[in-house]
Amino acid sequence: MPIRPRAPACGQPAHPSPPTWQHGRVTAAPHSSLFPQAPDSADAVLEGLDPEQREVATALRGPVCVLAGAGTGKTRAITHRIAYGVRAGILPPSSVLAVTFTNRAAGEMRGRLRQLGAQGVQARTFHSAALRQLQYFWPKAVGGSMPRLVDRKIQLVADAAAACRIRLDRGELRDATAEIEWSKVTQTVPADYALAAAKAGRETPRDPAEIAQLYAAYEDLKRHRSVIDFEDVLLLTVAVLQDRHDIADQVRSQYQHFVVDEYQDVSPLQQRLLELWLGDREDLCVVGDASQTIYSFTGATPDHLLDFRARHPGATVVKLVRDYRSTPQVVRLANGLLAQARGRAADHRLELVSQRPPGPEPEFTDHPDEPAEAESTARRIHDLIAAGVPAAGIAVLFRTNSQSETYEQALADVGVPYQLRGAERFFDRPEVRKAGVALRGAARFGVNDSLLDDAVDLPSQVRAVLSGEGWTPQPPAGSGAVRERWESLAALVNLAQDFAAARPGATLGDLVAELDERAGAQHAPTVQGVTLASLHSAKGLEWDVVFLVGVAEGMIPITYARTDEQIEEERRLLYVGVTRARERLHISWALSRSPGGRASRRPSRFLDGLRPGSGAGGAGRATAGGAGGVERGLTARRSGPEPLPRRAQRTPARCRVCGRTLTEAGEMKLMRCEDCPSDMDEGLYERLREWRADQAQRSGQPAFCVFTDKTLMAIAESVPDDDRELARIPGVGLRKLRRYGADVLALCAGREPAGGADDD
């Protein structure tokens, strides 16, 4: 069956809108090239959005939670939300901070905002935003120069292991480094590592006591060498914002509106940083999908997304379920995978509804062994390319990186170009940097460059310049580094052709400026080659044709996934792989590893009931989270006599005993000098501490995230009678008042708490 033309960008209609809302009735967006002009007004920003996406774009105040299924246009919705707010004059661009998890995603967001005319908005990763703040405030908060940031910590871990006389092989060293990273993002100190790892069910590479010893030595080594790692960037930024209220206020005065993409992937440490950025405000929009939580090994948890409505009762919740990426056949398989899932994330799954025309059914194929599977996949890809499918529209996805080599060789044997996902970023490649220098020089001195004598237009000028860097009209034979360099240069040649077509009369200087902007946004051109990628690195991407290979027991789910939670994450990983396909999906597995081996393998249990001949299909079970739509927050529906109290405007804090102006954060929480006498109710203070410990254990977060010691002391000293008195205590805030207020007031009145926070 021939492949259909490539679908429009995710979130845009794939065909003319039918006459009812049942199939989307999405207003057709104007045709856009690779270099579209910005909309001419705020209202024009909203054109082409479906009803739910428009709800997201126009919900500019208060907490907003967007539950967005795969392929439903979440990035489109949130970038149009920011752009609409900016273009309408509601959101000052410099007051908006959009954060996500990868440089690629942040770059894509910046590129889209630029195309929508919303320049000036900060779109960064958590680490990038924190590092920028830490570098700026370090002299004021700490003094002197900030320690050097190490790019890779694995050598430091190796040195720490040597100091502890712990011998690690290469794999153990990598895994030990991952354990240290997990510990830091979950705010686990070395002394608590063994217990925390056991509680989380982690497979430790060595005895937990040895990992704890190694972790402690690693931290000591960093201090001795005056260096910090990427996790320290977040930890130190959190510490500065917690300890220095003046700096926290300065950051909050700069950023008043926050957008968090991929919110299901936030770690406890990132969530704490976000809370400190927010303060007592609620101008926050989060976007995520619990069914795409696949990075728990790094500390990511969907709990913050799933608990958002509990923490923010006034939140507007918008569910995006119209899938613009995949055909109904692919969507049906994806829904079937999740229909068999269990656990909390599964209870909040979204039932996708395809907006695409019908396509071919997914294909399921077994092979006698792994080399045969790779050879068959390569031949089919060769045939697809010969039939006119672009190589860049095809991907081979596998569970582990070790599977890559077999497919690299198989594709090279049939002459199919490929690129490895997760390798060096496009604009960081040496050949791309050299090409940029050559193009910049030609743009400046082109009149005197003999290479350009016969070049009559921009594409021919670029071809002429890059021919001196190794580009040729025909690709080199074979694979390897030579072919990869050629593919990079060919991507620049293709980009020049698209640029010239979109902007007739553009000069070489204009193209160089465009490349500079793309490099800053990490908005790379498409490399014309089949993509080879692990399922984890394929997150956020899509292709016309996807080959999911090695889908056998022991690989998906992976052998070491033993607990129910680990098995369910493996199911979600396969779901992510399935939803990468726009048009055609091929799923395969090998019955043995090597030629002539015993055919003892079976296809993944996740395919039971979904592939032909494996029993009844997986019917979707009804869930509260299945349908799309909008849910308004409690504050929008509240009809009671008075709203919850708001934090009063700040005035200089004075000691309630001696009247002195207070400057220290701890003193301001107590509303008295440290040396002034305290009238604290000791019994109440102990009850509050016991209650706090219970709340922290239930929520899986440090005790200070519930209330700090100083805040508990202030409560025990003032013994508030009602919400208003409790809200006046520094460190309580509106969100904590909503969540914990009833319990705290009950304890102050001598009663047992009702456990209201448990219902969150």
Side-chain angles (χ1 to χ4, degrees), residues 523-545:
H523 182 194
T526 301
V527 175
Q528 289 301 316
V530 172
T531 299
L532 297 178
S534 71
L535 288 168
H536 282 101
S537 63
K539 176 79 166 59
L541 303 174
E542 57 188 70
W543 296 270
D544 290 329
V545 185

Side-chain angles (χ1 to χ4, degrees), residues 435-444 462 465-466 492 508 511-512 515:
V437 171
L439 290 169
R440 189 172 287 103
R444 186 177 301 172
V462 171
V465 172
L466 296 188
L492 293 175
L508 197 54
L511 176 64
V512 168
L515 290 174

Side-chain angles (χ1 to χ4, degrees), residues 333-357:
L333 177 59
N335 285 338
L337 271 173
L338 290 189
Q340 302 176 35
R342 296 293 181 267
R344 193 176 182 212
D347 290 339
H348 292 79
R349 72 184 180 91
L350 297 167
E351 188 84 22
L352 299 178
V353 181
S354 175
Q355 308 297 297
R356 295 282 308 278

Side-chain angles (χ1 to χ4, degrees), residues 56 64-68 74-75 78-79 81-82 96-101 105 109 122-126 257-267 270-271 273-275 277-278 283-289 304-305 308 311:
V56 174
V64 178
C65 179
V66 184
L67 302 177
K74 68 177 180 64
T75 305
I78 59 175
T79 51
R81 177 184 188 270
I82 295 170
V96 181
L97 177 59
V99 288
T100 186
F101 287 82
M109 195 177 293
Q122 292 293 315
R124 296 180 174 273
T125 65
F126 270 99
H257 309 279
F258 296 85
V259 177
V260 184
D261 193 12
E262 303 288 5
Y263 192 55
Q264 78 278 353
D265 289 334
V266 295
S267 68
Q270 289 164 331
Q271 175 64 21
L273 177 59
L274 179 61
E275 290 170 354
W277 281 340
L278 275 168
D283 275 329
L284 170 66
C285 174
V286 301
V287 190
D289 179 10
H304 304 300
L305 175 67
F308 190 84
R311 294 195 313 276

Side-chain angles (χ1 to χ4, degrees), residues 43 203 264 453 509 584 692:
D43 288 341
E203 291 282 340
Q264 78 278 353
D453 287 348
R584 303 183 75 159
R692 180 184 65 174

Side-chain angles (χ1 to χ4, degrees), residues 4 7 53 112 185 224 280 341 468 497 509 561 577 596 627 645:
R4 290 183 173 83
Q53 291 172 345
R112 292 200 190 193
V185 300
H224 177 69
D280 291 328
Q497 293 170 341

Side-chain angles (χ1 to χ4, degrees), residues 21-103:
W21 288 117
Q22 182 180 0
H23 298 289
R25 193 169 178 174
V26 181
T27 305
H31 174 74
S32 62
S33 69
L34 291 173
F35 306 93
Q37 298 298 316
D40 57 10
S41 67
D43 288 341
V45 172
L46 302 178
E47 292 178 4
L49 300 181
D50 69 29
E52 290 79 28
Q53 291 172 345
R54 184 178 284 252
E55 286 282 353
V56 174
T58 55
L60 297 175
R61 295 296 186 191
V64 178
C65 179
V66 184
L67 302 177
T72 57
K74 68 177 180 64
T75 305
R76 177 176 169 83
I78 59 175
T79 51
H80 281 67
R81 177 184 188 270
I82 295 170
Y84 176 70
V86 169
R87 299 291 297 275
I90 299 170
L91 303 179
S94 60
S95 74
V96 181
L97 177 59
V99 288
T100 186
F101 287 82
T102 66
N103 288 316

